[in-house]
């Protein structure tokens, strides 16, 4: 049962680190580190959810889960099983494999849904969008509301509405376009994918929804940080503030929008000087790395 305890400790550790992150200010100061922490937490919880029932079911082998699974496969192929391996053990192993199948299915379903949404958006843009010298590298959608978003993928597209063109000054528009290009270059859609899949697999779990919202906001902050390399903080903050006060158009599903996810907090962050990476951020990253390493090591052992 000690292998089960290891998986359980990983889950408890993940919840503790997540609890601290929910209540800390440092993630806004170091969004890249915070994103890495959340990725580690999500992966560790997913692997542990698979590993807990499997490790209980494989207890008669008295081996680490990875070795025990290989031994079980060999025994099944040879038509023999240990005498102490009962129906209950096999049921628990099936539960663990079922959890893995659900997580795998939800990830695949999220990928397919995102791909369909992006293809619909590309088809629509091919019909109604246009190029405009005022927005180099972007497609302009004739819509009076203010919108700016990225259609991610292997051939990403940055889209801005006519309403946003009329709302923003030229330098503000350039800052917003840099923000959207950061989404495209860093494939932030893939950063969000594990949490989109968890939300799909566990729609009623509030913790999962909070984690998704936290990562989505951090992704926007990360894109803000890329944009501020080329533009001043005040310029980007002013552009976002204009979006906050203007009639905005909702970003289509599966896209990444500049005016999404708590503009007020992002503007406040841009207007406050960022300090060095706090020690708490480094400690959280070390903890998240250790927590995700534990279930991986158990499955590989």
């Amino acid at each position: 049962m000690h292998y089960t305890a290891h998986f359980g400790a990983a889950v408890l550790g993940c919840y503790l680190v997540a609890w601290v992150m929910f209540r800390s200010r440092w993630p806004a100061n170091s969004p890249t580190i915070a994103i890495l922490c959340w990725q580690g937490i999500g992966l560790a919880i997913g692997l542990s959810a698979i590993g807990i029932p499997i490790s209980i079911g494989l207890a008669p082998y008295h081996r680490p889960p990875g070795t025990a699974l290989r031994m079980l496969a060999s025994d099944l192929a040879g038509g023999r099983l240990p005498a102490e391996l009962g129906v209950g053990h096999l049921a628990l192993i099936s539960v663990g494999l079922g959890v893995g199948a659900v997580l795998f299915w939800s990830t695949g379903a999220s990928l397919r849904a995102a791909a369909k949404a992006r293809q619909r958006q590309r088809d629509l843009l091919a019909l109604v969008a246009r190029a405009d010298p005022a927005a180099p590298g972007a497609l302009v959608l004739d819509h009076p509301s203010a919108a700016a978003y990225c259609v991610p993928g292997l051939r990403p597209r940055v889209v801005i509405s006519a309403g946003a063109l009329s709302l923003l000054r030229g330098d503000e528009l350039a800052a917003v376009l840099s923000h959207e290009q950061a989404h495209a270059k860093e494939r932030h859609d893939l950063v969000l994918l594990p949490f989109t899949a968890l939300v799909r697999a566990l729609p009623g779990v509030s913790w999962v929804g909070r984690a998704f919202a936290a990562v989505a906001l951090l992704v926007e902050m990360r894109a803000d940080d890329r944009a501020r390399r080329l533009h001043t903080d005040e310029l980007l903050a002013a552009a976002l503030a204009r979006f906050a006060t203007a009639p905005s158009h909702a970003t289509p599903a599966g896209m990444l929008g500049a005016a999404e996810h708590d503009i007020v907090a992002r503007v406040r962050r841009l207007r406050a000087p960022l300090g060095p990476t706090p020690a708490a951020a480094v400690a959280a990253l070390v903890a998240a790395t250790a927590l995700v390493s534990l279930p991986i090591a158990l499955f590989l052992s």
Side-chain angles (χ1 to χ4, degrees):
M1 293 293 289
H2 61 289
Y3 298 114
T4 306
H6 289 160
F7 284 118
V11 171
L12 290 175
C14 286
Y15 274 100
L16 177 60
V17 174
W19 181 83
V20 171
M21 290 179 65
F22 279 137
R23 287 158 177 76
S24 300
R25 295 183 179 180
W26 70 259
N29 189 82
S30 306
T32 302
I33 292 179
I35 288 170
L36 291 174
C37 288
W38 278 116
Q39 295 291 329
I41 289 170
L43 181 57
I45 288 179
L47 290 175
S48 297
I50 298 169
I52 287 173
I54 285 181
S55 61
I56 297 174
L58 292 172
Y61 283 101
H62 305 290
R63 295 288 188 278
T67 301
L69 277 173
R70 291 189 290 271
M71 293 173 67
L72 175 63
S74 177
D75 287 344
L76 288 172
R80 62 186 186 279
L81 289 173
E84 60 268 33
L85 192 71
V87 174
H89 293 101
L90 293 174
L92 285 168
I93 295 168
S94 299
V95 168
L97 295 176
V99 171
V102 169
L103 293 176
F104 183 81
W105 170 85
S106 63
T107 301
S110 297
L111 274 172
R112 290 191 298 272
K116 288 181 180 178
R118 292 166 195 164
Q119 189 57 53
R120 286 195 299 269
Q121 187 66 203
R122 291 190 184 97
D123 292 342
L124 174 65
L125 292 173
L127 294 174
V128 300
R130 57 181 171 81
D132 193 312
L139 294 174
V140 176
L141 195 61
D142 286 317
H143 196 284
S145 297
Y149 58 91
C150 167
V151 184
L154 296 177
R155 294 179 294 107
R157 297 287 186 270
V158 173
V159 182
I160 191 158
S161 69
L165 278 181
S166 63
L167 176 72
L168 301 172
R169 301 195 316 260
D171 52 355
E172 293 172 342
L173 174 63
V176 169
L177 293 179
S178 294
H179 172 99
E180 293 306 322
Q181 288 160 359
H183 281 318
K185 290 176 182 177
E186 296 194 351
R187 292 306 305 269
H188 289 161
D189 55 309
L190 298 181
V191 174
L192 287 169
L193 176 64
F195 293 91
T196 304
L198 280 175
V199 170
R200 183 183 291 270
L202 304 168
V205 180
S206 61
W207 182 90
V208 173
R210 289 183 65 196
F212 174 83
V215 175
L217 178 57
L218 290 168
V219 160
E220 293 302 323
M221 290 179 175
R222 171 63 187 168
D224 289 340
D225 287 348
R226 283 293 299 264
R228 69 200 306 186
R229 295 179 185 177
L230 302 175
H231 308 278
T232 66
D233 293 355
E234 183 55 41
L235 180 63
L236 182 57
L240 292 176
R242 287 184 186 274
F243 273 107
T245 58
S248 60
H249 176 64
T251 301
M255 313 304 133
L256 298 167
E260 298 293 306
H261 306 292
D262 202 344
I263 294 180
V264 174
R266 290 164 57 199
V267 170
R268 188 184 303 120
R269 173 178 179 267
L270 288 167
R271 287 176 172 165
L274 289 179
T277 301
V282 178
L285 182 59
V286 171
T289 302
L291 289 169
V292 74
S293 298
L294 180 56
I296 290 175
L298 290 172
F299 275 117
L300 293 179
S301 59

